[in-house]
Amino acid sequence: IICYCATLFCAARPDIGPIHVFPTSKNKKKGRQFVWEASLDSMTRIGSSKETSVLHWSSHYEDERDSIASMKRVSQKLVESYPTWLAKGSVTFGLLHARRQQKQQHDKDEIVLQPKFINFNLLSFGKTKVIRVNRRRIELKIPVTGGFFSAEHGRERDRGCLTFQVIREEVKKDEDYKSCCHFCTTISGDYRPTIAAGRSDRRKWAYLSSQSLVHAYVMWRFHRVWNNRVRYVC
């Protein structure tokens, strides 16, 4: 953490990382390394973050198509549960609550993340969308639809999104595992954190040293869940 803060305040640019903030394995051959990087554009105040981990395991399926189908089911189900997973006591220490709401009669349900005992929208998410599914890649997206941590900007409806990608890698025959995947999560689109709104450098660094760091911790936990689920199911 001390090294992170030193890098944060000495950096000439608003980009941070890649940093091995929460390493999950000392043995690189086993995979599961977690790498995080974040940035905040000084002009537009658009924030982004990227987390990656690698998983090596022996698939339970002989047929690659069955393995891919299983991974798609597991990944989609897990990603769809992400907004409610955030409210688990083991993740956010029982401080948050997730509830479903419908803005208008014909709108799709969204999930609102709020403090446990206060009706205050911290962050809300739309329905998970499947962007791409093929032999090499699975990509899903959860749009950010509102909340305190997402600043409004003009009449634009795009408040950014969370993107989840599973990328399969070719495995050499002499390796002691059958499958290798990169799991990549990103904050992308036009996401502008409220904490960093305005032109003050103090607010920029406040975001990168608080909300951004909390996001890295949460994603580290989520990557561990995905890794374990895939390892034992797919």
Side-chain angles (χ1 to χ4, degrees):
I1 300 298
I2 294 175
C3 293
Y4 163 76
C5 292
T7 305
L8 183 68
F9 288 102
C10 292
R13 299 184 306 162
D15 301 311
I16 302 301
I19 300 175
H20 293 262
V21 181
F22 304 108
T24 58
S25 175
K26 294 181 180 179
N27 186 350
K28 292 185 178 181
K29 288 186 178 181
K30 291 182 179 179
R32 299 183 62 186
Q33 309 98 295
F34 181 84
V35 181
W36 165 64
E37 52 189 299
S39 67
L40 183 74
D41 189 284
S42 297
M43 296 298 294
T44 64
R45 295 297 173 171
I46 294 177
S48 63
S49 180
K50 181 179 180 181
E51 306 80 34
T52 55
S53 61
V54 184
L55 176 63
H56 301 152
W57 84 105
S58 294
S59 176
H60 301 290
Y61 296 91
E62 293 295 332
D63 192 325
E64 184 184 36
R65 290 173 297 181
D66 293 334
S67 178
I68 294 173
S70 176
M71 187 176 298
K72 177 183 178 295
R73 289 194 301 270
V74 169
S75 298
Q76 185 170 352
K77 186 175 181 181
L78 191 60
V79 170
E80 286 176 348
S81 71
Y82 175 80
T84 53
W85 174 85
L86 285 172
K88 281 191 172 183
S90 59
V91 180
T92 49
F93 312 105
L95 299 175
L96 301 179
H97 169 69
R99 65 177 177 84
R100 292 185 179 275
Q101 78 168 15
Q102 194 175 37
K103 284 186 175 181
Q104 297 180 7
Q105 184 177 359
H106 300 292
D107 285 349
K108 295 179 180 178
D109 288 348
E110 63 179 11
I111 296 177
V112 176
L113 203 65
Q114 61 185 47
K116 189 75 171 180
F117 302 108
I118 303 175
N119 187 17
F120 181 72
N121 184 351
L122 295 175
L123 205 59
S124 56
F125 301 94
K127 185 178 179 180
T128 302
K129 300 177 182 178
V130 178
I131 306 301
R132 182 187 308 170
V133 177
N134 55 41
R135 179 177 172 272
R136 291 289 305 278
R137 186 186 298 263
I138 299 169
E139 184 175 349
L140 304 106
K141 182 172 71 173
I142 301 179
V144 176
T145 56
F148 171 77
F149 289 121
S150 171
E152 293 186 16
H153 43 93
R155 297 182 179 180
E156 297 293 331
R157 296 179 62 88
D158 179 18
R159 289 196 171 193
C161 64
L162 293 171
T163 303
F164 303 78
Q165 296 184 73
V166 181
I167 305 169
R168 294 172 61 89
E169 298 290 340
E170 296 295 333
V171 178
K172 297 179 181 179
K173 293 183 179 180
D174 58 347
E175 296 289 357
D176 58 355
Y177 51 86
K178 295 181 181 179
S179 302
C180 174
C181 276
H182 291 255
F183 185 44
C184 179
T185 53
T186 57
I187 295 177
S188 56
D190 207 3
Y191 176 70
R192 306 188 189 199
T194 303
I195 295 176
R199 297 296 180 183
S200 171
D201 283 342
R202 291 182 180 181
R203 299 192 71 169
K204 174 181 68 178
W205 298 123
Y207 163 73
L208 289 172
S209 60
S210 58
Q211 183 182 338
S212 183
L213 192 58
V214 171
H215 175 77
Y217 163 75
V218 169
M219 279 305 182
W220 169 68
R221 295 291 303 271
F222 192 72
H223 276 241
R224 289 186 64 188
V225 172
W226 181 87
N227 280 314
N228 291 331
R229 194 73 58 86
V230 169
R231 183 185 296 274
Y232 292 111
V233 176
C234 298

